[in-house]
């Protein structure tokens, strides 16, 4: 039976009981509009904990003024049903007032993995993510949290945050869940027109070519960029091979590499990434 908590007091009332019994608590932070990608994180977390909290909060501080905060899909009733079906114990759906009380004036400034790529397009983004995720860690006092590789840079930023601030939580990651044509599932895919949806399926193929290319990185990146434009993408924010641990440009000593793409179809921005040669 799913418990729904809409404020911090209700959340704490439940987690305090769990902690008193020495039970392990896991957290899946989300912005709702849940799909199979989110649900796979619940499954990935389950073997590691006794109780699972799924948080649903569309965090305003990670949206810029021109972004889609007001239109972001909100499907709370359906989300709660899915979360319950997948065996989570608690849905934490806080209000804006609980997350950002009047006079809120603290923001985490993250650097390192948070520099470049997404931050070049969305300079506010990782400060907002780091702040809200830290709040969720403190509020839930979870022992373990899980994040998707879909947002690869975000995953590295959160690992860095936890390491730098000595937050006592273990971070797990979940593989990217895709549609049958390879498009990474995303709450924002509902914005795609049927024609854009066709084009969107090409992203993963182009990413795969980039990741497996035997050409020098700069040449493979140029080819990927051109292939995206030829496929009908209106703009390419990046198509790049990076050090998988730091997101720096790979050096001869780099052992693991990651191919990452962000490209736009009209107003819809699509992200994808995979392990590279
Ligand atoms: P969001 O609701 O978009 O903030 O995402 C919440 C969590 O779900 C993040 O850790 C995402 O990386 C993860 N996620 C989103 N889409 C996918 C996907 N297709 N596969 C796996 N994880 C995902």
């Amino acid at each position: 039976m799913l418990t729904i908590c809409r404020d911090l007091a209700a959340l704490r009332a439940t987690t305090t009981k769990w902690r008193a019994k020495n039970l392990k608590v896991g957290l899946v932070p989300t912005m709702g509009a849940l799909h199979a990608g989110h649900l796979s994180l619940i499954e990935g977390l389950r073997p590691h904990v006794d109780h699972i909290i799924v948080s649903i909060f569309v965090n305003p501080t990670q949206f810029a003024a021109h972004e889609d905060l007001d239109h972001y899909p909100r499907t709370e009733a359906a989300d709660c049903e899915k979360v319950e079906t997948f065996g989570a114990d608690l849905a934490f759906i806080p209000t804006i007032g609980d997350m950002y009380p009047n006079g809120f004036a603290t923001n985490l400034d993250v650097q390192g993995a948070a520099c470049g790529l997404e931050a070049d397009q969305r300079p506010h983004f990782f400060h907002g993510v780091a702040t809200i995720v830290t709040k969720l860690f403190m509020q839930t006092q979870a022992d373990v949290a899980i994040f998707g590789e879909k947002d690869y840079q975000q995953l590295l930023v959160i690992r860095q945050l936890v390491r730098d601030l000595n937050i006592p939580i273990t971070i797990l990651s979940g593989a990217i869940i895709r549609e049958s044509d390879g498009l990474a599932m995303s709450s924002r895919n509902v914005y795609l027109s049927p024609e854009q949806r066709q084009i969107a399926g090409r992203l993963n193929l182009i990413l795969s070519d980039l990741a497996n290319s035997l050409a020098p990185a700069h040449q493979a990146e140029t080819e990927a960029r051109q292939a995206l434009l030829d496929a009908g993408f209106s703009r390419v924010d990046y198509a790049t091979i990076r050090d998988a641990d730091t997101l720096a440009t790979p050096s001869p000593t780099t052992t693991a590499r990651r191919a990452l793409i962000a490209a736009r179809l009209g107003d819809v921005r699509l992200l994808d990434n995979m392990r590279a040669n």
Side-chain angles (χ1 to χ4, degrees):
M1 172 76 181
L2 182 72
T3 303
I4 299 178
C5 296
R6 295 184 186 278
D7 61 45
L8 210 43
L11 173 74
R12 281 278 161 84
T14 303
T15 54
T16 303
K17 280 187 217 146
W18 292 342
R19 304 200 77 77
K21 292 185 200 152
N22 243 340
L23 297 170
K24 263 196 158 185
V25 178
L27 172 68
V28 186
T30 82
M31 297 206 300
L34 301 183
H35 51 65
H38 298 112
L39 301 173
S40 73
L41 298 180
I42 300 179
E43 291 193 314
L45 187 54
R46 197 180 290 127
H48 302 274
V49 295
D50 300 301
H51 287 296
I52 295 182
I53 301 172
V54 176
S55 64
I56 300 175
F57 182 67
V58 183
N59 177 29
T61 66
Q62 66 194 66
F63 289 76
H66 62 277
E67 292 181 342
D68 57 346
L69 174 64
D70 293 341
H71 306 289
Y72 195 84
R74 287 167 169 85
T75 57
E76 189 186 299
D79 289 349
C80 287
E81 267 180 41
K82 291 176 187 168
V83 160
E84 180 159 29
T85 305
F86 273 72
D89 303 275
L90 192 156
F92 179 45
I93 312 178
T95 59
I96 284 277
D98 246 331
M99 290 316 233
Y100 296 107
N102 276 341
F104 186 90
T106 302
N107 206 2
L108 275 169
D109 177 11
V110 276
Q111 302 292 328
C115 296
L117 301 179
E118 286 303 290
D120 288 342
Q121 308 302 322
R122 312 179 73 195
H124 53 283
F125 179 69
F126 286 121
H127 307 305
V129 168
T131 304
I132 201 72
V133 165
T134 303
K135 283 184 67 97
L136 287 166
F137 289 170
M138 309 289 271
Q139 291 169 339
T140 61
Q141 296 177 281
D143 302 285
V144 186
I146 187 163
F147 294 83
E149 287 184 352
K150 161 78 175 29
D151 300 284
Y152 190 78
Q153 187 176 11
Q154 171 175 283
L155 172 64
L156 294 195
V157 169
I158 287 166
R159 288 194 193 284
Q160 173 185 293
L161 173 79
V162 163
R163 200 174 53 237
D164 288 354
L165 299 186
N166 309 109
I167 303 176
I169 192 166
T170 301
I171 303 299
L172 302 178
S173 63
I176 301 175
I177 305 299
R178 301 176 178 283
E179 304 286 356
S180 55
D181 64 351
L183 176 66
M185 288 190 185
S186 163
S187 306
R188 290 187 165 106
N189 289 351
V190 296
Y191 299 152
L192 295 167
S193 69
E195 191 193 335
Q196 288 174 329
R197 176 64 190 79
Q198 284 283 109
I199 299 170
R202 300 271 306 142
L203 178 65
N204 184 245
L205 298 173
I206 295 167
L207 175 69
S208 175
D209 287 346
L210 172 63
N212 295 306
S213 175
L214 298 175
H218 65 91
Q219 186 186 328
E221 290 170 358
T222 306
E223 285 170 6
R225 198 170 264 279
Q226 192 55 50
L228 288 161
L229 296 173
D230 291 346
F233 284 86
S234 45
R235 180 172 148 176
V236 181
D237 289 340
Y238 54 82
T240 186
I241 305 268
R242 296 295 175 96
D243 183 305
D245 299 320
T246 62
L247 294 181
T249 304
S251 72
T253 57
T254 297
T255 49
R257 305 192 318 156
R258 198 91 189 169
L260 305 106
I261 290 181
R264 298 181 196 226
L265 278 167
D267 290 338
V268 190
R269 203 161 168 272
L270 299 178
L271 303 187
D272 203 350
N273 68 86
M274 67 172 63
R275 197 156 60 83
N277 276 333

